Amino acid sequence: MALLTVDGLEAQYGWIKVLHGLHFVVEEGGITTILGANGAGKTTTLRAVCGMVKTSGAITFDGRRIDGAATETLVRLGIAHVPEGRGTFVNLTVEENLRLGAYARRERVRLADDFARVYRYFPVLSERRRQLAGTLSGGEQQMLAVARGLMLRPRLLLLDEPSLGLAPMVVREIFRIVRTINKEEGVSVLLVEQNALLALNLADQAYLMETGQVVRSAPAAELQKDDAIRRAYLGY
Amino acid sequence: MRRFPTLPVALALLVVAAMLPFVMTGFRLFQFTQVFIYAIALLGLNILTGFNGQISLGHGAFYAVGAYTSAIMIDHWNVPFVLTLPVAGVLCLVVGFLFGIPALRLEGLYLALATFALALAIPQILKYFEHWTGGSQGIVLSKPDPPVFLRAADARVHLTPDQWLYFLTLAVLVVLFVLASNLLAGRTGRAIVAIRDNAIAAQAMGVNSALYKSLTFGVSAAYTGIAGALSAGAVAYVAPDTFNVFLSITLLVGIVIGGLASIPGALFGAFFIQFVPNWAQEISKAAPWAIYGIFLIVFMYVMPRGIAGSLRLAWARLGRARAGTPTGA
Amino acid sequence: MEIFFQQVVSGLATGGIYGSLALALVMIYQATDVVNYAQGEMAMFSTYLAWTMINAGLPYWLTFFATLVIAFVGGLVIERVIIRPVENAPILTIVIVCIGLLVILNSVAGWIYSYIQKPFPSPFSERPVRIGTVVFGAHDIGAIGVTLVVLAFLYVFFRFTTLGLAMRAAAQNPSSSRLCGIRVGWMLALGWGLAAMVGAVAGMMVAPKVFLDPNMMAGILIYAFASATLGGFTSPGGAVLGGLIVGVFENLVGTYVPFIGTELKLTVALALILIVLVVKPSGLFGRAAVHRV
């Protein structure tokens, strides 16, 4: 069953149109990845889903149309966006960052359970819980950003280029945790990545974007074996 | 986007301006002279704040220095009025440059605070040096007479002191505006704006940021100082309390309403700060400043980038409508 | 020696008032990068509203809390109605709007209440308080107490409540805050409300000493700037401490340095601002701005 359906999505910054009619689907409980080079419009796509850019076209989440809705409303529906560059609150502590992740939850919040859950996935955050987020390393901040997203108990987790600027070992660790979260909690994931190798390893379904349009859509495993893709995006 | 026909429009306005003193008299004429004086002062402030990004809440201080320089030279040494103008300009250039040096360390809010403190202190300082400045009483001057060839009984053209002052101010305005226009259009102007937009990048590209910023401060002060000197002649009186913090705030209001980083903006702003308080008075005798405040707020809603900014936007939209939008969006 | 203690306590009382107004300025500055030049006039206007209620016969403390509520709502409404239309405009545009607000409030207060000074009551007794051999004004001690209570309330609110955390987050990083579902616009409005409330306290504490008139807060605003500059515009605690230091310093200088009369006192505040800016612009407790390329 499709959790998120995007149909004919267009987006623009001022006079410049960046997305020219996108179609893609995120299956419930699955991991979908959008690949593409710099400037393809991947980040814009996530921002469009989150209501941060002016769009036209249909975005359907869990059966209801959400295009045009404000970001704050979408968060309350269970969409957690881990932005490009992590977006941590650098002058707040790790614990405060996590607490903010749960801010949007309507129901009576049992924060202690959520903290325990998140610290289980990311033990290093537990060690640093009272430190200012700005003093964490890049990898730790990325973990914090993902953890913050998880505090929402989201239905859909949007990850924007989580590998950017991080050491390969750290990135692999984060991706491993994302897979675990997806398996254990059934959180659907929409992953935007430049690192096609890692993304295709993780995802079930993949879309390839070029200058604002989807040019290929296939199960990830299929794209991994495709020669043309290999040469263009994996470099060998 | 077609270039705005600046030169023909400016020349046309100049012709109109030259004819005004012969149809207007007395107070009205004085008001227009004051508008030109403000325009020069505002251009000075705009060069610093609009083009170079250094916020000054204290330009009233340079206005005061210019005014008092002129007044003291006339009162103590009988210097002809016209000669006091370049002296005021050079003095303020130096003072402004010197002030610009410590100001290099201050950014945004902190520079605004420092200049604000300066503006507040000026009346006190002026009152303190009584021997020169006449203390709280100030200095009373007589209105400068036109030069002999314009006032003698057998002169071909007769100008009253008011008319003379008007033309003198207009001439100074034209010269200073053209100078600024050339300065800002060339390499110097690009360097100044580059510093505003990204000082680090500008420095990395070889722009001597410190030198340019201090020089800009100096030039800005010089312009405002000359305006102050002209006002000493126009008003024929200088007193410490006329140069209080309110003047500095009025100048800031003038450049934002007129349009930051815009030369014609200085003129628009000058009209605003000269005439709108009077209109406010006419609308409400009881609370005129409340009306003025409402004017300010509404103006900022409708034209957040000032009059010049809105005109630029309108001109651009016109251009796009005629050409057809490129992306068809 | 007794004069010294008296002047220090008196200085702490005025300093608390400067610090409160400085805190209001810093709160809004941290959230919006704008200094609300109308903060003093908002406080003055709130104090006039309190005066109206007291004159109508309402008891002091009821008026006090009613004024806090009115000021809070007023600040919130001003942000949503007057500031919001320009919240994405260039900073100087917002500054002009604040100046417009300043001028409107001052003018309307003068129009409604006239420019004649009015006495404003203090809730504290007229009789001086005696501690050991030193005599203090009861109002001074009371003002210090009230300031401390307000500050304690704010501290607890911002540090320990979820809403306070959300407000801090919205001030520091609006876009990430939206991603957490925080309605940033309303957080800003709440900030303005709280700042206005703090300003109202400052106004009601200072009015008994300087008498109520529309220009009452102008001088105090300048001292508040000096306090925030000294303490650091990026540090709320610093702003308050800065206020206390400025208050005590002003009093001691006025008492012990012979040629500083009331006229020059203001110059002292200005000199202080300039010295701090030259030596350490970010103030005693502020953080120097780091510019990332």
Side-chain angles (χ1 to χ4, degrees), chain B residues 105 109-110 113 124 289-290 301 304, chain C residues 35 82 93 103 107 263 278 281:
Chain B
R105 312 187 47 200
L109 168 73
Y110 302 112
L113 279 173
Q124 316 271 47
W289 291 112
Y301 287 173
Chain C
V35 172
I82 298 183
T93 303
V103 158
S107 186
E263 274 241 329
V278 167

Side-chain angles (χ1 to χ4, degrees), chain C residues 67-208:
Chain C
T67 306
L68 291 192
V69 171
I70 295 175
F72 178 81
V73 172
L76 198 144
V77 168
I78 286 178
E79 198 284 327
R80 289 278 84 186
V81 173
I82 298 183
I83 304 294
R84 189 192 200 186
V86 287
E87 68 188 357
N88 293 319
I91 289 194
L92 282 180
T93 303
I94 309 179
V95 167
I96 300 296
V97 170
C98 288
I99 291 176
L101 189 60
L102 185 166
V103 158
I104 292 175
L105 287 172
N106 186 293
S107 186
V108 170
W111 175 50
I112 298 179
Y113 296 101
S114 96
Y115 287 91
I116 304 171
Q117 285 189 333
K118 300 179 178 10
F120 190 87
S122 163
F124 309 109
S125 78
E126 295 274 308
R127 280 180 302 112
V129 172
R130 192 175 285 275
I131 298 181
T133 48
V134 195
V135 176
F136 301 110
H139 180 78
D140 281 345
I141 306 271
I144 295 177
V146 168
T147 306
L148 286 176
V149 168
V150 170
L151 294 176
F153 163 75
L154 284 177
Y155 181 77
V156 166
F157 174 76
F158 278 109
R159 193 137 283 273
F160 296 110
T161 67
T162 311
L163 188 58
L165 178 62
M167 282 178 69
R168 278 192 288 148
Q172 292 175 21
N173 193 333
S175 57
S176 288
S177 301
R178 281 194 194 95
L179 294 178
C180 294
I182 297 174
R183 293 209 175 87
V184 171
W186 281 103
M187 293 298 118
L188 230 59
L190 279 179
W192 273 71
L194 285 178
M197 204 179 79
V198 170
V201 171
M204 289 191 281
M205 287 297 109
V206 86

Side-chain angles (χ1 to χ4, degrees), chain A residues 4-236:
Chain A
L4 178 76
T5 313
V6 167
D7 203 2
L9 181 66
E10 299 184 335
Q12 54 192 71
Y13 290 116
W15 302 111
I16 304 172
K17 201 190 241 186
V18 177
L19 301 179
H20 304 282
L22 285 187
H23 302 263
F24 65 87
V25 167
V26 178
E27 296 290 336
E28 175 121 40
I31 303 182
T32 303
T33 182
I34 297 182
L35 301 175
N38 259 333
K42 310 187 301 294
T43 298
T44 309
T45 305
L46 284 190
R47 301 180 83 217
V49 169
C50 261
M52 292 166 81
V53 200
K54 211 168 74 152
T55 61
S56 61
I59 309 176
T60 312
F61 179 74
D62 203 18
R64 23 192 302 208
R65 285 282 293 267
I66 61 168
D67 36 282
T71 313
E72 299 91 280
T73 320
L74 296 176
V75 174
R76 277 159 220 267
L77 289 178
I79 300 179
H81 180 170
V82 179
E84 190 182 11
R86 304 178 254 293
T88 36
F89 295 101
V90 291
N91 291 319
L92 298 178
T93 64
V94 167
E95 204 167 277
E96 286 172 331
N97 268 266
L98 294 173
R99 190 180 292 270
L100 285 169
Y103 181 82
R105 280 162 53 188
R106 293 276 99 196
E107 80 277 10
R108 208 73 189 82
V109 174
R110 289 180 325 270
L111 274 187
D113 294 342
D114 290 296
F115 273 106
R117 207 174 110 246
V118 150
Y119 287 145
R120 190 165 48 89
Y121 289 127
F122 301 106
V124 68
L125 293 182
S126 177
E127 286 162 42
R128 304 206 190 290
R129 52 154 65 111
R130 296 212 192 281
Q131 265 181 254
L132 285 186
T135 60
L136 267 57
S137 74
E140 289 164 351
Q141 285 197 35
Q142 186 64 64
M143 293 187 192
L144 177 58
V146 175
R148 192 182 83 204
L150 289 180
M151 291 293 288
L152 182 65
R153 287 195 190 267
R155 310 263 320 267
L156 175 63
L157 185 66
L158 304 177
L159 291 170
D160 197 343
E161 306 223 27
S163 72
L164 210 57
L166 297 185
M169 262 189 67
V170 177
V171 176
R172 265 193 285 275
E173 177 67 14
I174 293 177
F175 273 51
R176 187 187 62 77
I177 296 171
V178 170
R179 174 183 283 123
T180 311
I181 294 167
N182 169 258
K183 289 266 173 320
E184 288 189 8
E185 301 192 17
V187 176
S188 317
V189 176
L190 176 58
L191 169 70
V192 152
E193 253 305 335
Q194 273 188 58
N195 187 332
L197 187 61
L198 282 172
L200 288 175
N201 259 338
L202 180 68
D204 309 316
Q205 181 74 13
Y207 294 86
L208 208 51
M209 263 184 83
E210 263 171 39
T211 47
Q213 285 179 310
V214 172
V215 295
R216 238 347 249 286
S217 148
E222 199 179 295
L223 281 187
Q224 272 182 311
K225 298 201 209 90
D226 186 313
D227 281 350
I229 300 299
R230 236 183 51 224
R231 268 192 294 274
Y233 291 92
L234 306 183
Y236 66 98

